[in-house]
């Protein structure tokens, strides 16, 4: 009878040990899987930030190039206007040339500001797109988890 009780105890201990080992193994595997998933998520977040900064940099470069081109053209226009003014034959012609140039310069400035605004808006949109995609992915993942 004692041998049977010892055998039952041994069998029970083995079952508990096997179940405990399996539970521990499953827990470790689940933790490693979660860690791997978190690393993949972090990598995608970093890639999104890099893409965002790259888009912002391209926008800034485009804006800088536009500003340089506008400045160069404005300087050329100012020199041409000064030459025209220097060749004026009367005060009336000076006033007309100056008025005409002022109108032209203001229209060119407004056009440049509109172009710059469009460039900034496009750059901001492109810069936030990768970040918005990551936020959307995170929200979808959280909604799926619940």
């Amino acid at each position: 009878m004692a041998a049977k009780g010892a055998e039952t105890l041994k069998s029970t201990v083995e079952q508990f040990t096997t179940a405990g080992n399996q539970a521990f193994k499953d827990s470790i595997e689940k933790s490693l899987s979660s860690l791997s998933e978190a690393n993949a998520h972090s990598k995608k977040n970093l890639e999104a930030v890099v893409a965002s900064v790259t888009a912002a940099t391209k926008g800034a470069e485009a804006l800088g190039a536009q500003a340089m081109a506008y400045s160069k053209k404005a300087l050329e226009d100012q020199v041409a206007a000064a030459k025209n003014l220097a060749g004026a034959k009367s005060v009336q012609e000076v006033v007309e040339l100056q008025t005409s140039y002022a109108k032209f310069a203001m229209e060119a400035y407004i056009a440049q500001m509109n172009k710059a605004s469009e460039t900034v808006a496009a750059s901001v949109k492109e810069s936030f797109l990768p970040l918005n995609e990551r936020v959307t992915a995170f929200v979808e993942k959280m909604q799926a988890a619940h």
Side-chain angles (χ1 to χ4, degrees), residues 35-111:
L35 182 61
S36 176
E37 188 176 317
N39 284 340
H41 186 72
S42 294
K43 180 181 177 193
K44 288 178 183 178
N45 287 347
L46 180 61
E47 290 170 351
V49 169
V50 169
S52 177
V53 169
T54 300
T57 301
K58 287 180 182 177
E61 289 172 354
L63 194 60
Q66 289 173 6
M68 290 298 292
Y70 171 76
S71 295
K72 181 180 176 188
K73 175 83 168 82
L75 182 61
E76 291 169 355
D77 291 343
Q78 289 170 359
V79 169
K83 286 180 182 177
N84 284 341
L85 284 174
K89 306 272 190 249
S90 68
V91 173
Q92 177 67 27
E93 187 179 357
V94 168
V95 170
E96 288 173 1
L97 288 172
Q98 184 63 31
T99 302
S100 175
Y101 174 73
K103 180 180 176 189
F104 169 79
M106 183 56 76
E107 289 172 353
Y109 176 76
I110 290 170

